[in-house]
């Protein structure tokens, strides 16, 4: 019975992908549309959930402007999610705390950005997440998230991280 319960929990976890959005991403759709596009975050989240259903995973999304809240959400993913897709926004370039939390939970991470950060200001070229992520998807607007989700599901299917 206990083994069965554990199996069920593992199966549930293995079908759940957490998508995290960092600061100011609640404003996409109207925020600097030439850079971040015209798709709202609500629409991105709906598209992610739809694609998740197609790919056989449950997508959970979370946005915060607060570094601590994002760290808390990452910590809570241990044992409840199988992979993390993350656009940490500006914290990508600054947050040792988020990097440490991602390392602590030992889940495969896919880093995504709407814009191609490497074509922008020099301070956006450095990511504190890149070297601990399985890979990055940047520059495709809202599509970056969908490609990132596909990549995460592929990683889970291959059992790689
Ligand atoms: C989003 C942000 O808010 C910026 O701070 C990053 C990223 C880039 C994006 O392109 O999605 O530098």
């Amino acid at each position: 019975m206990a083994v069965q319960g554990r199996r069920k929990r593992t199966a549930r976890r293995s079908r759940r992908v957490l998508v995290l959005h960092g600061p100011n991403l609640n404003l996409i759709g109207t925020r600097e549309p030439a850079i971040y596009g015209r798709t709202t975050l609500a629409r991105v989240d709906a598209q992610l959930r739809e694609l998740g259903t197609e790919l056989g995973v449950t997508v959970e999304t979370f946005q915060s402007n607060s570094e601590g809240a994002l760290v808390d959400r990452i910590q809570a993913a241990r044992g409840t999610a199988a992979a993390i897709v993350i656009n940490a926004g500006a914290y990508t370039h600054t947050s040792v705390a988020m990097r440490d939390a991602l390392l602590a939970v030992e889940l495969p991470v896919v880093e995504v950005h709407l814009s191609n950060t490497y074509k922008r200001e020099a301070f956006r070229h450095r990511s504190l997440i890149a070297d601990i992520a399985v890979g990055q998807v940047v520059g495709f607007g809202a599509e970056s998230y969908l490609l990132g989700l596909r990549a995460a599901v592929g990683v889970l299917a291959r059992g790689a991280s």
Side-chain angles (χ1 to χ4, degrees), residues 23 25 31 36 87 89-90 93 113-115 117 120 124:
L25 292 166
R31 169 196 183 201
Y36 298 109
N87 181 355
H93 319 297
H113 295 291
L114 297 153
S115 65
T117 45
R120 300 181 61 195
R124 293 187 207 274

Side-chain angles (χ1 to χ4, degrees), residues 59-160:
V59 172
E60 197 176 314
T61 64
F62 179 79
Q63 189 278 329
S64 181
N65 294 325
S66 146
E67 188 176 15
L70 289 160
V71 167
D72 286 343
R73 192 63 197 81
I74 293 167
Q75 287 185 9
R78 187 176 208 151
T80 62
I84 296 177
V85 174
I86 183 166
N87 181 355
Y91 292 143
T92 304
H93 319 297
T94 62
S95 179
V96 175
M98 285 185 67
R99 175 192 170 88
D100 285 350
L102 290 168
L103 283 169
V105 295
E106 297 180 317
L107 294 172
V109 173
V110 176
E111 179 182 4
V112 303
H113 295 291
L114 297 153
S115 65
N116 181 347
T117 45
Y118 300 101
K119 283 168 90 173
R120 300 181 61 195
E121 304 96 318
F123 66 84
R124 293 187 207 274
H125 299 180
R126 186 180 76 142
S127 162
L128 297 186
I129 296 170
D131 67 308
I132 60 166
V134 183
Q136 277 183 325
V137 183
V138 306
F140 296 98
E143 185 72 18
S144 291
Y145 280 100
L146 302 175
L147 293 167
L149 177 61
R150 284 186 188 279
V153 172
V155 167
L156 295 178
R158 292 193 300 276

